[in-house]
Amino acid sequence: MYSLLLSFFVASRILISQASPLPFIFDRAVNDTTSLAPTPQNVQRQLGPLLAKGASLYFPGTPQFQDATSRWSTYKAPNIAVVVEPGSAKDVATAVSFANKFGIPYLAMNKGHGSTTTLGAIKNGIEIHVRSLNSITINADGKSASIGGGSYNQELINKLWSNGKASASGSCACVGLMGAGLGGGLGRYQGFYGLISDNLIDVDIVLASGETVTVSEKSNSDLWWGLRGAGHNFGIVTRFTMKIFDSPAQNWYFAQFVFTQDKLEKMVGLVNTMMDNGNQPKELMNYYLYAWNPAISTTEPVVIFTIYYIGTKEQAAKYTKPYFDLGPVFHNDSMVAYPELASATGLGDEDFSCAHGFNRVQYPVGLLNYNVSNTRAVYNLFKEQTVAVPALNLSTVVFEGYSLQGVKAVPAASTAYPHREDNILASILAVYAPNPALDSVAIPWARKVRDLMHSGQPGRQLNAYVNYAFGDETQEMVYGYEPWRLERLRGLKKKYDPKGKFNFYEPIKV
C-alpha cells in the first residue's frame, strides 16, 4: 500500500486504460487435432470462428495486445502469444477447450496484479482476458449481487455505494475482485463482513476440462472449500454471486500522519495498544509504511501512518489524538464518501500504487502484533539498502492492520484460507524500473527483510498470504501447516486439475 504522500516524489501518475475491442475477421475453421503453434494465423483461423460475436483476438505489436498484457509487476511476467478477449462467459470455456486440444498453455487475467514468479512459467501461451466480463447486478432480494469475473474493486464499490449497499472488497482500487477473492481477499470492511471469499454464495467456473460448473455449498461442495483461499489452482471464474449489505456509513474518516524515524518506537507502541491483540473495533483499521519522501527528508525514510474509521472525526478522536500528540511532521485528515477513500489515501486507479511497468518483488508475513525492537531493525535494514542502492527508493515496507471480527467469526477449517489467526499482514515491496542487474540485489534483500519481520515473533511459523507471495515459499507457508489442509487440497487438485493446467499461480504440488 502507498500513502498519498508518495505522489511527492513520483513524476506523474500512470493510468492504464482499456482499449476498445477491435474484432478480427476470421477464416473458416479447419478440423485439426495435432499440436498447434499459437501464431496469429493459426489462432485466428482455428479459434476465431468458435467465439461469440463481440469477442476479440489481440496479437503482439498491437496497442490492444499491449494493454491487455500490461502488468503491475513486470518481473517474471508470463510470456503471451495471443490474447482472447471473450464476448461471453461461454468464450472462456471455448478458449480453454481449444488450448487443451492443441497443447497450448493458458492463463486468465483481469487487472494484471498477480506478481508471483510462478507466473513466469507460462511460455508462448494464451491469455484469456476476462476484463470484459464486468457486469454487476444487484439482485431483487437486495442481499446479493451477481458479478462478472472481470469486475474489479472500485467498480463494485461504486455500484454498491450508489445503491446504499456495501460488501467486502480489497483496499486497492485497481485490483481484480475475484483475483483477490480466490486467495481470501483482505480489505477495509472485513471487520464487518469477513474476507471477499467469505461472502461468496456461488461461483461459475471453467474447469481444466473446459466444462463450466456452478460451485456452492450445495453444488460441488468439495471444490467450494478449496476455491475460497486456494482458488487460482482450479479454474477461471466467469461469474459469481456475493452477499451485500446495507451500507453502515456513506462517509469515512481518515487521518494520515508522517513521522520522522525518531518517533518510530513510540508510534509502534501506540499501534499495539490500539489494535489490542486483534480486538480493535470493527470500525477501526490502520496501516503504516516506511518510504522515502524527499519533501520531508532526503537523508532517511519516513514513517507514514494512516487510520481509517467508519464514522465521524469526533468518534475517531480517541484513536487519532495520541498520534497528533506524538508530533507528526505532516498530517492530513478528512471525511470522504467511501468511493473516494482509495484515491484520497494514495490507492486509487491513477495513483502510483496501481501503476504498471515496474518490477515489484513482494514478500509477505503474517504477524500477531508488533515487536517494537524488531520494527526498528526492519527500518534500519530498509534504510541501509535504499541508501546504498538509490534505484530501490520507490520500495516500501507495509504493515496492514485491518479489523478482524468478521474474519475470525468464520471457522478456520471451513475454507481453504489458512491464516485467520494473523492480526497483521506485513510485507516488503521492492519496486524498481526493470533492470536485470538489480534483480540479484532486490530479491535477497526483500527476502531478508521478510525473514527479519518474522523473527520478531519467536516460535511462530511463517505465514505467507497467497496474494502477496513471491513464489519460492513452501506449500505450508502459503496454504497452511495442518497436514489435513494440504492433503485435502492435493486431493482436489488431482480431481479437478489432474494435468496441472492451472499450475501457474502458486500451484499446489501433488
Side-chain angles (χ1 to χ4, degrees):
M1 300 177 83
Y2 290 82
S3 163
L4 177 63
L5 295 160
L6 292 180
S7 61
F8 288 166
F9 63 90
V10 177
S12 63
R13 292 181 171 190
I14 301 175
L15 173 64
I16 303 300
S17 61
Q18 295 295 327
S20 299
L22 298 176
F24 285 80
I25 297 175
F26 303 115
D27 297 329
R28 185 180 303 277
V30 176
N31 184 17
D32 186 357
T33 57
T34 62
S35 61
L36 187 78
T39 63
Q41 295 80 8
N42 284 338
V43 175
Q44 188 169 318
R45 179 168 53 92
Q46 294 278 28
L47 177 59
L50 305 177
L51 300 174
K53 183 178 180 180
S56 297
L57 295 175
Y58 302 142
F59 299 103
T62 65
Q64 295 81 14
F65 180 91
Q66 180 63 33
D67 282 347
T69 57
S70 176
R71 301 192 67 85
W72 182 70
S73 177
T74 59
Y75 183 69
K76 296 292 185 183
N79 177 271
I80 301 299
V82 61
V83 172
V84 178
E85 188 164 279
S88 68
K90 185 178 178 182
D91 285 340
V92 176
T94 298
V96 167
S97 295
F98 170 85
N100 286 341
K101 178 179 179 181
F102 294 110
I104 304 170
Y106 49 88
L107 177 75
M109 192 178 100
N110 181 3
K111 296 285 282 180
H113 276 255
S115 60
T116 174
T117 57
T118 60
L119 291 167
I122 190 167
K123 306 296 182 186
N124 220 24
I126 291 176
E127 176 192 305
I128 302 172
H129 192 220
V130 298
R131 177 75 191 104
S132 57
L133 305 178
N134 64 345
S135 61
I136 302 174
T137 303
I138 295 177
N139 295 326
D141 62 7
K143 297 179 180 180
S144 64
S146 181
I147 304 170
S151 300
Y152 73 102
N153 286 325
Q154 193 67 42
E155 285 179 323
L156 180 69
I157 289 169
N158 291 346
K159 178 72 173 183
L160 296 183
W161 185 84
S162 65
N163 288 273
K165 299 292 183 179
S167 189
S169 62
S171 293
C172 200
C174 54
V175 176
L177 188 66
M178 187 48 63
L182 290 174
L186 282 69
R188 298 187 193 95
Y189 267 128
Q190 68 179 43
F192 284 78
Y193 313 128
L195 306 172
I196 294 173
S197 59
D198 296 333
N199 290 275
L200 299 177
I201 296 172
D202 60 52
V203 172
D204 290 347
I205 186 169
V206 178
L207 301 176
S209 63
E211 177 187 9
T212 301
V213 299
T214 298
V215 183
S216 69
E217 189 175 0
K218 296 181 179 180
S219 176
N220 301 291
S221 59
D222 57 344
L223 185 55
W224 179 239
W225 178 85
L227 280 183
R228 294 172 296 155
H232 307 92
N233 277 274
F234 300 111
I236 302 172
V237 174
T238 57
R239 188 211 61 86
F240 57 99
T241 306
M242 190 174 183
K243 299 174 188 175
I244 63 174
F245 308 88
D246 292 335
S247 178
Q250 289 291 292
N251 296 315
W252 284 50
Y253 173 74
F254 76 90
Q256 206 163 58
F257 306 88
V258 180
F259 296 101
T260 50
Q261 57 82 22
D262 56 297
K263 304 293 179 66
L264 177 60
E265 283 81 1
K266 289 183 179 179
M267 193 209 78
V268 171
L270 289 174
V271 180
N272 268 339
T273 299
M274 183 177 71
M275 293 190 67
D276 190 22
N277 292 312
N279 295 308
Q280 68 195 66
K282 63 183 179 181
E283 296 85 4
L284 177 68
M285 60 222 73
N286 71 87
Y287 72 88
Y288 88 85
L289 54 88
Y290 307 143
W292 281 93
N293 189 326
I296 293 173
S297 175
T298 58
T299 60
E300 61 186 22
V302 295
V303 182
I304 304 173
F305 178 73
T306 304
I307 286 180
Y308 296 109
Y309 189 81
I310 307 176
T312 67
K313 178 176 181 177
E314 291 72 25
Q315 291 169 328
K318 63 181 178 180
Y319 302 109
T320 58
K321 185 179 184 300
Y323 301 98
F324 281 109
D325 292 345
L326 189 56
V329 293
F330 177 90
H331 77 268
N332 176 37
D333 68 322
S334 183
M335 292 287 299
V336 296
Y338 186 53
E340 301 169 11
L341 189 61
S343 289
T345 53
L347 297 169
D349 276 325
E350 298 186 28
D351 288 304
F352 181 70
S353 56
C354 287
H356 286 207
F358 292 86
N359 278 11
R360 284 181 164 93
V361 172
Q362 189 165 26
Y363 275 100
V365 58
L367 306 174
L368 290 179
N369 49 44
Y370 293 110
N371 180 311
V372 177
S373 61
N374 182 265
T375 56
R376 165 58 67 181
V378 171
Y379 174 90
N380 290 343
L381 180 56
F382 177 78
K383 175 184 176 181
E384 175 187 340
Q385 185 71 310
T386 52
V387 167
V389 187
L392 294 175
N393 66 10
L394 293 175
S395 304
T396 56
V397 177
V398 186
F399 302 91
E400 303 178 48
Y402 301 106
S403 47
L404 296 159
Q405 287 89 331
V407 177
K408 296 193 175 185
V410 176
S414 66
T415 74
Y417 179 75
H419 304 318
R420 292 185 189 272
E421 76 277 13
D422 291 344
N423 296 331
I424 300 161
L425 175 58
S427 60
I428 166 70
L429 188 59
V431 183
Y432 52 101
N435 182 347
L438 284 176
D439 296 340
S440 60
V441 176
I443 294 169
W445 169 59
R447 190 183 301 119
K448 186 176 181 180
V449 172
R450 187 274 313 271
D451 291 344
L452 182 57
M453 289 190 287
H454 176 242
S455 71
Q457 47 179 20
R460 283 203 87 212
Q461 294 165 314
L462 197 161
N463 292 341
Y465 182 42
V466 66
N467 290 338
Y468 289 6
F470 178 71
D472 62 359
E473 296 86 353
T474 67
Q475 298 276 278
E476 289 79 8
M477 290 177 186
V478 175
Y479 294 117
Y481 291 88
E482 305 98 321
W484 65 266
R485 280 191 180 275
L486 282 176
E487 182 178 346
R488 188 170 182 179
L489 285 172
R490 287 166 180 151
L492 290 172
K493 189 72 170 174
K494 289 177 182 178
K495 178 178 179 180
Y496 289 99
D497 186 22
K499 296 182 179 179
K501 298 293 185 178
F502 294 105
N503 272 7
F504 298 112
Y505 192 101
E506 293 295 318
I508 295 163
K509 299 170 185 174
V510 297

